[in-house]
Amino acid sequence: MKLFVDTGDVEEVRKAAEWGVLDGVTTNPTLIAKSGKGFKETVLKICELVPNGAISAEVIATDYETMLKEALEVSGWHPQVVVKVPLIEPGVRLVRTLSERGIRTNVTLVFSVSQALLAAKAGATYISNFVGRVDDLSDDGMVAVADSVAMVENYGFESEILVASVRHPLHVVQAVNAGAHVATMPFKIMEMMFKHPLTDIGLTRFLDDWKKAGLSIG
Ligand code: E4P
């Protein structure tokens, strides 16, 4: 399973990349706006920090012609760039065009299996199924993830189901159990995945016992 960090903050990307478990980065217009830096500058810096990672950069237009222009612009910035496209009618058409040209895509704002099916048929590389925003409405966002994983596997689509809008580590565990291919999450959630009180208690005890015995390595 691939782990992506969902951020436009290059310092967060730098820290997550140092852990050696990062497969990519997702950004969106909100995250880029929050970074306070330029779009291209931020995306290029992230590409440098995560060599070989898949770095999603989203188009802004909502009409096909302008979306295509923007998609060709962002995909030309760096070979690692994956064009992020919203699941709207011109977006699905754009994904078909880009997949025929060998340009990778991440279809975003996907909430249902029917939407995921359209994205898969258009040749999406990643299908971003949002979970937290559905849970916020008292529904179970993970149901569509599990069903979409089954859909791509049953029909042999190459698209990977990417669990997005992750709010806590339990979402990551549920994504694993659903067989999702990727989970993207805020940096703070990735940090939380390290945490367990018994790890801290256990480490303190190991180090105390070692110190008391006066041992050393080498
Ligand atoms: C996905 O790529 C999105 O950027 C992201 O996961 C949205 O998460 P949110 O619902 O916390 O804004």
Side-chain angles (χ1 to χ4, degrees):
M1 180 171 176
K2 294 173 191 164
L3 294 180
F4 291 0
V5 66
D6 193 32
T7 186
D9 181 333
V10 295
E11 284 315 311
E12 289 186 346
V13 174
R14 189 190 308 278
K15 286 184 213 156
E18 279 173 3
W19 293 329
V21 295
L22 191 65
D23 301 295
V25 179
T26 47
T27 67
N28 64 36
T30 303
L31 294 170
I32 293 293
K34 201 170 142 198
S35 78
K37 303 268 169 55
F39 188 18
K40 183 175 180 181
E41 169 198 354
T42 302
V43 168
L44 288 179
K45 189 67 197 170
I46 292 173
C47 290
E48 185 189 316
L49 291 168
V50 192
N52 304 316
I55 314 303
S56 289
E58 188 162 340
V59 296
I60 304 301
T62 55
D63 67 282
Y64 175 78
E65 295 303 335
T66 320
M67 288 172 97
L68 177 59
K69 200 165 153 256
E70 291 179 352
L72 297 178
E73 165 72 24
V74 298
S75 67
W77 289 346
H78 197 283
Q80 285 172 238
V81 170
V82 176
V83 181
K84 205 169 174 189
V85 180
L87 192 292
I88 54 177
E89 290 175 24
V92 170
R93 181 180 166 201
L94 178 67
V95 171
R96 163 58 58 203
T97 303
L98 297 177
S99 71
E100 281 168 2
R101 295 188 188 194
I103 296 172
R104 292 182 298 164
T105 54
N106 175 358
V107 178
T108 189
L109 293 169
V110 173
F111 294 89
S112 70
V113 183
S114 54
Q115 290 178 314
L117 176 61
L118 294 170
K121 285 187 69 69
T125 313
Y126 302 105
I127 300 174
S128 284
N129 200 308
F130 282 43
V131 168
R133 294 187 194 190
V134 176
D135 289 6
D136 292 345
L137 298 175
S138 309
D139 211 338
D140 184 354
M142 209 51 80
V143 171
V145 169
D147 288 349
S148 292
V149 169
M151 181 268 291
V152 295
E153 286 174 2
N154 285 344
Y155 291 98
F157 290 115
E158 286 180 11
S159 305
E160 296 187 23
I161 302 301
L162 188 161
V163 179
S165 190
V166 163
R167 300 271 197 265
H168 44 68
L170 183 57
H171 274 154
V172 182
V173 174
Q174 291 167 332
V176 169
N177 291 338
H181 307 89
V182 192
T184 191
M185 68 207 75
F187 176 75
K188 69 168 192 246
I189 307 296
M190 206 174 270
E191 269 188 324
M192 287 167 77
M193 288 173 65
F194 283 89
K195 307 291 182 199
H196 198 291
L198 292 179
T199 303
D200 298 337
I201 292 166
L203 184 60
T204 302
R205 193 181 301 161
F206 284 156
L207 296 182
D208 284 351
D209 290 345
W210 183 265
K211 201 172 164 191
K212 275 185 227 150
L215 295 164
S216 66
I217 295 178

